[in-house]
Amino acid sequence: MTNKLILRLFPFLAWLPISPLILRADLVAGITGALVLVPKAMAYAQLAGLPLQFGLYTALVPAVIGALWGSSRQLATGPVAILSLMTAAAVAPLAAPGSADYIGLVLLLTLMAGCIQLGLGLVKLGNAVNFVSHPVILGFMNAAALIIGLSQFDMLLGIPKGRSDFFLMDVWEMLSHLPLTHLPTLAMSAFTVVLLLGVKKIRFLSKSGVLVVVGVTTLTSMLIGFENKTTGQIIDVATPVAREIVEKHDASLRRMDAVNNRITTLAAELRQAEEDKDSRTIAELQFRISLLNIESEAAEKDSRASMRTLRKIYFVRSLPEQGQARFYQWDAVPEEIKTDGRFWHISKVSRGQLQLNGGGEVVGAVPAGLPSLQIPAISINGILQLMSAALVMALVAFMESISMAKAMAASTKQRIDPNQELIGQGLANIGGSFFQAYPAAGSFTGSAINLQSGAKTGFAMVFNGFFIAITLLFLTPYIYHLPKAVLAVIIAFAVAGLITPRAFVQVWKASRADGFIAVSTFVITMLAAPHLDKGVIIGALLAIGHILYRTMAPRVAILGRHEDGSFRDIKNNPYLVISTKVVAIRFDGALYFANVAHFQDAVLGAVADHPEIKYLLVVGDAISFIDSSGEEMMHNMVGQMQQSGVEVVFSGLKKQVLDVMRATGLFNFIGGEQNIYATETQALNAIYSRLGEGENACIISLPKPVPAE
């Protein structure tokens, strides 16, 4: 008992003792996986709206914790495309991507998702994920993959894209600026695509091909001067309309800083008042801080709105020989002004100073060093705003993790414990939230590489994390010139395999209802983007509603005897032998409060259609469960039938149904073993014996149709 408890608390101890041969295999698998993971982790951080180092942080701490406390020995926990997009979708409406507030909300989201997963695992609700059915996941994954691909167009083409509550409109507006495509960025994107396709065909480079592409494109970017930045002042913006927008944005930022500084001052006064227990001052300060918070939120909203507008504006710069270089809106340049022929856009405004980008966007400086311990900022307001997203992300992350773990377990013959995997994923996200990681899950790519590289235990991910740590400590200066377009191509390639239109056709062939649910989830997710959680929630509700509808009105069959002696539904086989004095009816489903009326109506209808019957045989092979409502209805129905001269006989009832009948007295009320039989054949033989007639008495054969000549 003690050993089981220890293994429950520390499941990684089951790997011990570990042989040097297995350890070497894990080392090779860990390094191989890290070579692929480093560029993808940075790409996914870009997708999540975070500084690139956060992708590496997510590939470090959650990966190690998930491996040590999960049940799969090959599952690679880390940043994944779906959760990266969902993170941006959940937090971007609340704060500016990349800002301190944004990062704080992301860490809170990670903590919340981890707590939900850990809670579900501790109470052994690993199967709760089944509430989100395959058609829902199919529709969601395809929509999310398409949204991820579309979200990279601005990086691939060098066209700024705004962020709003309607993703498809943002994409449409961006495509309307196609003539402004930054040709060097487009060329770099095309070059990256060619490189990726090329290295895949070279056997010894196939596994580390992404890293090779990153190295080549980074070197190319540095040599050709792909990045081109400059600075200026608001007064340098010559077009009045554009300058007004820039001034408005700068004023919003200044107002927000002033209000926040005032809040900080009042917060210090509030703490002092609380120490002095001055209730009047406390109430006054709390009121003033609340008003300032409202003003700060309004200023932040104005700032985001003006920045979205600025992202859509392109400028051209006048040549220095014409005087001081000034910036004109590209479609409002005076004829006499000569420009440098380059498009510029404003990337940042700060206290009257402008930062403009006229070349391709690169990663830039990535802070070196390991993630520091940082407690997530927990607030009631933040929890309420992120709750639905955290719940959906926790389930989606676990579904992605457990599906990959089970797929690998089929080849490794390893037993997967869904509840332990939930605990492992929950601890990974909780631990990651304290070390600046965003929500992580089991990675399809990383796990497949682990398996193919011969990983035997979770130590492969420990070695993987060690390599990521080396990258953070020593290698970040070398990725300054990495074009963001390259990361966009990597993301697009990673999600391309998630788009599976044939799967929709397969689901539709299997079930029209499931096909409708899959398509509906896809459409709703696309329309609701960037709020992807709505697609999963509505899809899950549709699936649950469909199941409830089916269980509320399960199939009820009137049976007849086939010439081979079996009993079949006369609706599907209208030429069967039936009796004038016995009606056999089969109920295909559990008998519970939601469908008792349906069953009762079917029985009464069958009796009304056969007024001469003496016996009603209920074939209960498919009744797997009966609740108190079902028992009460059965009791009343048997009594009504007996009063009208019809004896009710049962066959094929399962043990759990019989146990309920015995516990409530229904078993004896029906007639005990005289009216309850193991099979329908035994029941019919007993009925015909009571009627005093042979087995073939009182039956008729429905006429077969005359075949058309």
Side-chain angles (χ1 to χ4, degrees):
M1 184 65 182
T2 303
N3 289 337
K4 287 185 178 180
L5 179 60
I6 292 175
L7 288 178
R8 178 71 172 168
L9 295 175
F10 307 102
F12 55 87
L13 294 178
W15 307 341
L16 303 176
I18 186 169
S19 68
L21 192 62
I22 291 178
L23 203 61
R24 190 178 74 172
D26 288 342
L27 175 62
V28 172
I31 294 176
T32 304
L35 292 176
V36 178
L37 181 58
V38 168
K40 285 195 173 184
M42 293 188 294
Y44 291 153
Q46 173 179 294
L47 182 61
L50 291 163
L52 300 193
Q53 68 269 20
F54 283 80
L56 297 175
Y57 297 162
T58 307
L60 176 57
V61 177
V64 174
I65 296 177
L68 294 176
W69 273 273
S71 66
S72 173
R73 299 189 178 188
Q74 286 80 30
L75 186 67
T77 301
V80 295
I82 298 295
L83 291 187
S84 300
L85 179 64
M86 294 184 73
T87 297
V91 183
L94 307 177
S99 65
D101 289 340
Y102 186 91
I103 293 171
L105 288 171
V106 168
L107 299 183
L108 176 60
L109 178 64
T110 308
L111 177 63
M112 291 171 63
C115 289
I116 291 170
Q117 291 175 324
L118 178 61
L120 291 174
L122 291 176
V123 297
K124 299 186 182 299
L125 286 179
N127 292 325
V129 71
N130 294 331
F131 282 110
V132 185
S133 64
H134 170 66
V136 175
I137 293 302
L138 174 65
F140 172 75
M141 286 293 188
N142 277 268
L146 188 56
I147 291 169
I148 290 171
L150 292 174
S151 70
Q152 299 308 298
F153 269 33
D154 57 332
M155 293 294 179
L156 296 172
L157 303 176
I159 304 175
K161 176 171 66 67
R163 286 179 180 266
S164 71
D165 282 343
F166 193 9
F167 172 79
L168 294 181
M169 182 59 71
D170 293 338
V171 174
W172 180 255
E173 289 182 355
M174 179 197 66
L175 294 178
S176 67
H177 292 87
L178 275 180
L180 300 176
T181 296
H182 187 241
L183 296 181
T185 299
L186 179 60
M188 182 62 72
S189 300
F191 178 53
T192 305
V193 171
V194 172
L195 278 179
L196 276 173
L197 294 176
V199 296
K200 281 188 175 182
K201 296 181 179 180
I202 303 175
R203 189 172 223 177
F204 70 94
L205 290 179
S206 59
K207 288 186 177 179
S208 57
V210 176
L211 191 64
V212 172
V213 170
V214 167
V216 172
T217 52
T218 302
L219 182 61
T220 303
S221 170
M222 182 179 64
L223 293 176
I224 67 174
F226 183 68
E227 180 191 30
N228 196 345
K229 292 183 177 180
T230 190
T231 59
Q233 297 180 350
I234 293 179
I235 195 174
D236 295 332
V237 179
T239 307
V241 175
R243 185 169 62 244
E244 184 180 347
I245 297 172
V246 177
E247 289 173 345
K248 181 180 178 182
H249 179 67
D250 186 58
S252 298
L253 293 176
R254 291 173 184 267
R255 181 158 57 97
M256 190 166 55
D257 289 342
V259 171
N260 289 338
N261 290 336
R262 184 59 180 154
I263 290 174
T264 302
T265 302
L266 292 180
E269 295 179 13
L270 177 61
R271 287 192 295 271
Q272 183 62 47
E274 288 174 341
E275 291 179 4
D276 297 339
K277 297 182 179 180
D278 186 347
S279 57
R280 183 173 180 176
T281 304
I282 291 173
E284 180 185 352
L285 289 172
Q286 287 176 339
F287 177 71
R288 292 169 64 186
I289 290 174
S290 298
L291 292 178
L292 288 172
N293 280 328
I294 294 174
E295 187 176 349
S296 176
E297 291 175 3
E300 186 177 357
K301 184 178 179 180
D302 291 341
S303 171
R304 288 203 301 267
S306 56
M307 194 62 201
R308 280 199 300 268
T309 305
L310 282 178
R311 287 195 186 103
K312 302 172 186 177
I313 300 177
Y314 275 89
F315 297 90
V316 291
R317 184 171 60 175
S318 64
L319 294 176
E321 57 262 25
Q322 293 183 287
Q324 182 180 357
R326 304 195 72 188
F327 295 92
Y328 296 85
Q329 195 166 329
W330 73 278
D331 54 356
V333 184
E335 293 183 2
E336 68 275 9
I337 298 296
K338 295 182 180 180
T339 68
D340 60 5
R342 185 187 296 272
F343 285 120
W344 298 83
H345 66 267
I346 296 174
S347 58
K348 187 177 180 181
V349 181
S350 177
R351 297 189 175 277
Q353 300 296 316
L354 304 179
Q355 292 183 14
L356 299 99
N357 194 350
E361 292 196 36
V362 299
V363 166
V366 177
L370 299 178
S372 59
L373 176 63
Q374 182 175 324
I375 300 175
I378 300 174
S379 66
I380 299 299
N381 188 43
I383 291 174
L384 294 176
Q385 289 176 317
L386 297 172
M387 179 54 71
S388 65
L391 178 60
V392 172
M393 289 177 70
L395 293 177
V396 170
F398 178 61
M399 282 185 290
E400 188 163 345
S401 303
I402 199 66
S403 59
M404 189 63 200
K406 288 182 177 179
M408 292 188 297
S411 60
T412 61
K413 297 179 175 59
Q414 179 193 348
R415 181 178 176 273
I416 300 297
D417 182 355
N419 294 309
Q420 185 62 45
E421 200 58 58
L422 257 178
I423 292 173
Q425 292 295 309
L427 290 175
N429 280 312
I430 292 173
S433 70
F434 287 90
F435 290 93
Q436 303 175 63
Y438 69 90
S443 165
F444 285 103
T445 303
S447 301
I449 291 174
N450 256 357
L451 187 64
Q452 294 167 6
S453 302
K456 303 298 181 184
T457 72
F459 277 124
M461 290 310 299
V462 176
F463 291 127
N464 187 299
F466 179 72
F467 187 88
I468 298 294
I470 292 176
T471 301
L472 282 166
L473 288 171
F474 306 110
L475 303 181
T476 54
Y478 299 101
I479 60 177
Y480 179 96
H481 291 281
L482 172 62
K484 290 188 176 182
V486 175
L487 299 180
V489 172
I490 292 172
I491 291 172
F493 268 71
V495 300
L498 297 177
I499 301 176
T500 54
R502 289 185 180 179
F504 284 93
V505 178
Q506 195 71 16
V507 169
W508 183 268
K509 289 179 179 178
S511 168
R512 296 293 176 88
D514 285 347
F516 172 78
I517 291 171
V519 172
S520 298
T521 303
F522 175 84
V523 172
I524 292 169
T525 303
M526 291 296 299
L527 293 177
H531 304 289
L532 302 186
D533 52 319
K534 293 181 180 178
V536 176
I537 291 172
I538 295 176
L541 290 176
L542 286 174
I544 293 172
H546 174 238
I547 292 298
L548 288 175
Y549 174 77
R550 289 180 58 187
T551 59
M552 286 175 65
R555 184 182 176 202
V556 180
I558 306 296
L559 304 178
R561 177 171 287 179
H562 193 266
E563 57 187 13
D564 63 5
S566 63
F567 296 91
R568 304 184 185 181
D569 188 353
I570 63 173
K571 286 184 179 179
N572 298 330
N573 304 272
Y575 324 119
L576 301 179
V577 174
I578 61 174
S579 171
T580 59
K581 294 186 178 180
V582 181
V583 169
I585 187 170
R586 187 184 67 229
F587 185 74
D588 295 340
L591 193 57
Y592 72 115
F593 68 93
N595 60 24
V596 291
H598 176 73
F599 177 77
Q600 190 172 26
D601 291 343
V603 169
L604 295 177
V607 173
D609 292 340
H610 303 81
E612 298 181 7
I613 70 165
K614 298 296 182 182
Y615 285 89
L616 173 69
L617 172 60
V618 178
V619 179
D621 304 72
I623 302 177
S624 58
F625 167 77
I626 183 171
D627 69 354
S628 59
S629 299
E631 185 275 335
E632 182 183 8
M633 182 277 300
M634 196 76 76
H635 195 285
N636 294 334
M637 184 200 71
V638 171
Q640 291 173 1
M641 293 295 104
Q642 289 174 348
Q643 289 178 6
S644 60
V646 177
E647 192 75 14
V648 183
V649 179
F650 292 83
S651 70
L653 294 176
K654 291 179 168 52
K655 179 181 181 300
Q656 58 267 33
V657 177
L658 291 172
D659 288 343
V660 173
M661 288 183 169
R662 289 191 177 96
T664 59
L666 179 59
F667 186 86
N668 294 328
F669 182 76
I670 291 172
E673 296 179 356
Q674 292 184 352
N675 281 339
I676 298 177
Y677 297 89
T679 66
E680 60 264 31
T681 301
Q682 293 176 355
L684 284 173
N685 289 338
I687 289 171
Y688 289 133
S689 175
R690 294 181 201 175
L691 290 171
E693 301 164 343
E695 185 176 339
N696 295 322
C698 306
I699 62 175
I700 60 173
S701 180
L702 298 177
K704 293 186 178 181
V706 178
E709 295 183 358

